[in-house]
Amino acid sequence: MAATGHAADPVAPARRASRARLGGLVRYLQTPVILSVIVIAVAIIAPAINGPLTPTTIVFLVNVIVVLGLSVFVGNSGVVSFGHISFMALGAYVWTLLTIPTQIKHTLYPDMPGWLAGMHASVLGATFIALACAGLAGLVVGVFLGRLNGIAASIGTFALLLIVQVVLSNWDAVTNGTVPLTGAPSEPTVSKALVWTVVAIFVAYVFRESRSGLRLRASREDEAASAAIGVNVFKERVIALAISGAIVGVAGVLYADFLGSIYPGVFYLDITLITLAMLVVGGIRSVSGAVIGCLFISVIVELFDRAEQGVDVFGGTVKTPPGVTQIVVAAVILAALIVRPAGLTKGNEIGFKSVRVRRRQRTAADNV
Amino acid sequence: MRDFIQHVVDAASVGSLYALIALGIAVIFGVMRLANFAHSQLIVIGAYAFLIFKGAPWVVIVAGSLVLAIVLGLAMERVAFRPLRSADASTLFIASFAVASLIENVMNATVGSQAKSVPTPTGLSRSVDIFGVSVPVLSIVMVVVTALLGATFATFLRRTSLGIQMRAAAEDFEMTRLLGVKANKVIALAFAISGLLAGVVGVFLVAQLGVLTPTMGLEPVIVGFVATVLGGMESLGAAALGGFAVGALSVALQVALPIELRPFRDAFVFGLVLLILVIRPQGLLVVKSAKERIT
């Protein structure tokens, strides 16, 4: 596509080809670059406008990573998973358990089994171990549930979320049950979260555009037809679920790092609903949709959270009763599903089209 | 032997609760492919009638429960699910989560999120001796009411015109519409029935617990989902049977599991869902008309 030049072009063919390749690369990378710039800009500008907003910024970035991870599987395969927060929980618990210093484990958690109490890893090392565990978990879940479609898949993955919740809440010796698990070296920074967010953006985008991603998207549009042209739908889903699990696992690590102490309730229905809503509101079919939806819902949450604390309007303080934020968010999700089912981005990626692409689209539209 | 009978009684009363929930979920899934997670809030609103009509005669409170649950069911259909009727099942499932969250948070903001205890009919908390086994009156009432409701519902579906329209709609919705059945009427009716069943469950839950919280419907409904997956949605009877099966299973696991694994009982129940879905990858939820047809 990018290699078609004008015959009258005075540039030598070899240089023309290399320039076209470069143009193709620029066009290929523009979406993830623009998205990264948006996210970085938000992370820098938001605190500048609103004062110290570091916590909200990190939560926003964690949500972006979760939603990007979701979009790798849900967006490309069209199978809506309600179990992805399990991977987040896994990442968070693995990281926390590995980074709590051994002496603290002995004093705070005397019941912890010896093999676990003796284990320790550096913050970064534990991050990668958590990533690998979550990715592996995604692979295993994919092997078991990869053949499910539609509502059966949604309920199956939901059952997974419930199982993880029950296990985390009751495996007292390891997870400390429903009591918060503390003691991990918590040093959350916006820049750390930003680095992982940008990585997640690129991974999600490159996967979407890869052969595997294309095959998966083909199966989303028509499973039978894609299988007929040789797509192994099951295999592609397993691959996507592993990558997606790993990304969501990293988000779990960052969230645990941010919270300092974690308990099972953090990784349950509320966060499942809000991240799925972000994905759907933004547009399930594109990476841009994941980021835009996240930004949209986060801004609403932030605005109404502020209103709950009281906002000065014309000298008087307006204060909304507590709980209004959740009500508004739920209403926005419903409204978005009804009014704009394809999402804010309608499944398109953000980017500048070259003049040639635009001209071709215009002629194509005219010919219809 | 006495222990065994005791367990059977437990299983039957828990099972009847799950059967009612499974029926309430299946009746909607049949006509519009909606796995309604917000069913939990229908149960909650039914339960909160005990607070709203506090002090009134029990008959009024129970009637209030049923009416409130039915009205809320109809309202969520009209406001949220009717505009989404053409959406796919997964989108509907997400929407039902949003509806549940919306209602739960409205309740948090109005009646508060803390648990409230309410008086319940004292007659229900008594026990009677049957063959040397002490059986709570409430259990007997639950099983009898469930059986009666089930029988009434089955007769309604078989014998009345509306019931037959509903069964036809569950079989092939488009075809049924082409034959002149009003979609809005059938679906609204399904929500009303679902609300009625949820109201009954709400009453039973309050009678059992004596306490109200805006999240009290959550766990029973999750288990109700397990029951519907277990029984399959192909027939409402199967869904109800699934409810009793889950009741029996959870009591059996409670008895049979070693002490150290007992806290994980629910994980085994949910694991069963996964197992069934893995063994039958096409899913038990597949109704004839829901299967993809290649044209």
Side-chain angles (χ1 to χ4, degrees):
Chain A
M1 167 170 65
T4 49
H6 294 283
D9 207 338
V11 190
R15 277 179 60 197
R16 204 162 62 206
S18 90
R19 188 185 289 175
R21 255 200 307 278
L22 190 68
L25 189 68
V26 168
R27 216 165 301 139
Y28 174 75
L29 285 179
Q30 62 169 341
T31 299
V33 169
I34 293 172
L35 290 175
S36 303
V37 169
I38 292 176
V39 168
I40 294 170
V42 169
I44 293 170
I45 294 170
I49 301 174
N50 290 321
L53 253 183
T54 315
T56 336
T57 313
I58 293 179
V59 172
F60 165 68
L61 294 174
V62 168
N63 281 335
V64 172
I65 301 176
V66 175
V67 178
L68 283 166
L70 264 175
S71 90
V72 166
F73 178 73
V74 178
N76 292 318
S77 73
V79 175
V80 179
S81 158
F82 279 76
H84 264 64
I85 298 304
S86 312
F87 303 127
M88 192 182 183
L90 184 70
Y93 273 90
V94 166
W95 182 82
T96 306
L97 287 169
L98 283 176
T99 50
I100 301 176
T102 338
Q103 314 90 285
I104 296 186
K105 275 186 197 165
H106 285 305
T107 40
L108 279 181
Y109 313 111
D111 295 335
M112 201 174 271
W115 56 270
L116 186 64
M119 244 188 247
H120 186 260
S122 69
V123 168
L124 193 64
T127 306
F128 282 103
I129 295 172
L131 183 153
C133 287
L136 195 66
L139 195 82
V140 173
V141 171
V143 169
F144 280 102
L145 297 179
R147 291 179 205 282
L148 298 182
N149 280 319
I151 191 70
S154 294
I155 291 189
T157 46
F158 187 47
L160 178 74
L161 180 74
L162 300 173
I163 292 173
V164 168
Q165 190 64 34
V166 172
V167 171
L168 288 179
S169 307
N170 292 292
W171 198 8
D172 296 0
V174 170
T175 63
N176 209 22
T178 48
V179 184
L181 184 68
T182 53
S186 164
E187 40 207 19
T189 61
V190 172
S191 50
K192 192 158 64 177
L194 259 183
V195 169
W196 282 109
T197 311
V198 171
V199 170
I201 289 174
F202 275 84
V203 170
Y205 185 77
V206 168
F207 175 78
R208 182 182 190 264
E209 300 296 320
S210 70
R211 277 162 187 273
S212 188
L214 265 172
R215 291 193 191 115
L216 199 56
R217 278 150 63 198
S219 78
R220 175 189 72 196
E221 297 308 323
D222 192 330
E223 196 183 335
S226 69
I229 56 164
V231 172
N232 183 342
V233 180
F234 173 70
K235 189 183 106 190
E236 306 304 344
R237 279 187 188 166
V238 172
I239 294 172
L241 205 48
I243 297 173
S244 151
I247 296 176
V248 176
V250 170
V253 169
L254 291 169
Y255 204 34
D257 184 25
F258 165 68
L259 292 174
S261 70
I262 51 174
Y263 58 94
V266 171
F267 307 101
Y268 202 31
L269 296 175
D270 288 344
I271 193 162
T272 299
L273 173 66
I274 194 120
T275 49
L276 270 177
M278 286 167 171
L279 183 65
V280 173
V281 167
I284 213 162
R285 286 152 181 252
S286 67
V287 179
S288 310
V291 176
I292 302 289
C294 214
L295 194 60
F296 182 71
I297 301 263
S298 300
V299 167
I300 291 177
V301 169
E302 182 61 27
L303 285 178
F304 280 88
D305 269 351
R306 275 163 184 270
E308 272 178 32
Q309 282 150 24
V311 184
D312 292 323
V313 182
F314 303 120
T317 311
V318 176
K319 210 169 172 180
T320 54
V324 167
T325 309
Q326 281 88 340
I327 297 174
V328 170
V329 167
V332 166
I333 296 167
L334 274 178
L337 288 176
I338 294 168
V339 178
R340 212 169 158 117
L344 294 171
T345 59
K346 291 191 170 167
N348 296 318
E349 295 290 7
I350 290 180
F352 302 102
K353 287 175 192 151
S354 68
V355 177
R356 210 185 308 148
V357 171
R358 229 178 288 163
R359 193 188 303 143
R360 201 183 306 143
Q361 281 183 346
R362 207 176 307 138
T363 31
D366 289 344
N367 291 342
V368 169
Chain B
M1 188 62 197
R2 252 171 72 182
D3 278 357
F4 180 73
I5 295 174
Q6 192 76 58
H7 294 320
V8 169
V9 171
D10 288 349
S13 67
V14 177
S16 58
L17 209 62
Y18 295 149
L20 288 176
I21 299 173
L23 260 181
I25 294 170
V27 69
I28 291 178
F29 190 85
V31 291
M32 69 175 295
R33 304 283 160 274
L34 160 66
N36 188 11
F37 191 74
H39 197 71
S40 56
Q41 293 323 110
L42 297 179
I43 293 174
V44 171
I45 199 82
Y48 268 76
F50 278 76
L51 188 72
I52 297 166
F53 303 108
K54 202 171 174 179
W58 295 123
V59 184
V60 175
I61 293 180
V62 171
S65 285
L66 305 185
V67 170
L68 278 179
I70 292 172
V71 169
L72 186 65
L74 290 172
M76 66 171 69
E77 192 274 327
R78 186 67 195 87
V79 176
F81 297 126
R82 190 176 293 185
L84 284 170
R85 206 172 281 169
S86 55
D88 61 276
S90 296
T91 309
L92 281 170
F93 195 36
I94 297 178
S96 76
F97 267 75
V99 170
S101 163
L102 186 73
I103 299 172
E104 186 194 319
N105 283 299
V106 168
M107 296 196 65
N108 279 342
T110 49
V111 294
S113 56
Q114 56 284 67
K116 289 192 167 61
S117 63
V118 286
T120 52
T122 44
L124 290 180
S125 49
R126 274 202 305 262
S127 293
V128 288
D129 253 29
I130 301 176
F131 303 122
V133 182
S134 113
V135 182
V137 174
L138 180 62
S139 298
I140 300 174
V141 172
M142 279 162 76
V143 174
V144 170
V145 169
T146 305
L148 283 177
L149 273 174
T152 316
F153 192 33
T155 321
F156 166 74
L157 286 177
R158 295 233 166 77
R159 297 269 177 261
T160 65
S161 163
L162 265 178
I164 292 167
Q165 287 178 28
M166 274 192 75
R167 276 166 56 212
E171 193 76 23
D172 188 337
F173 196 71
E174 280 311 305
M175 188 63 203
T176 317
R177 287 189 74 173
L178 292 175
L179 292 173
V181 170
K182 298 264 187 299
N184 287 348
K185 193 169 74 181
V186 170
I187 289 179
L189 180 66
F191 271 88
I193 293 172
S194 181
L196 173 78
L197 296 170
V200 175
V201 174
V203 172
F204 285 159
L205 272 184
V206 183
Q208 225 170 25
L209 307 169
V211 181
L212 302 171
T213 61
T215 52
M216 64 189 290
L218 191 64
E219 283 192 21
V221 163
I222 287 173
V223 182
F225 267 105
V226 174
T228 37
V229 175
L230 195 67
M233 304 244 186
E234 268 131 286
S235 99
L236 296 170
L241 271 185
F244 282 106
V246 170
L249 182 79
S250 58
V251 172
L253 282 175
Q254 186 69 32
V255 178
L257 280 180
I259 300 244
E260 64 269 22
L261 282 181
R262 257 179 223 175
F264 299 100
R265 186 194 69 184
D266 289 352
F268 288 97
V269 177
F270 301 138
L272 189 73
V273 175
L274 286 183
L275 193 70
I276 291 170
L277 292 175
V278 171
I279 295 171
R280 279 196 58 181
Q282 71 272 39
L284 293 174
L285 296 177
V286 177
V287 192
K288 256 176 241 156
S289 53
K291 270 181 224 147
E292 189 188 7
R293 232 179 251 150
I294 296 154
T295 44

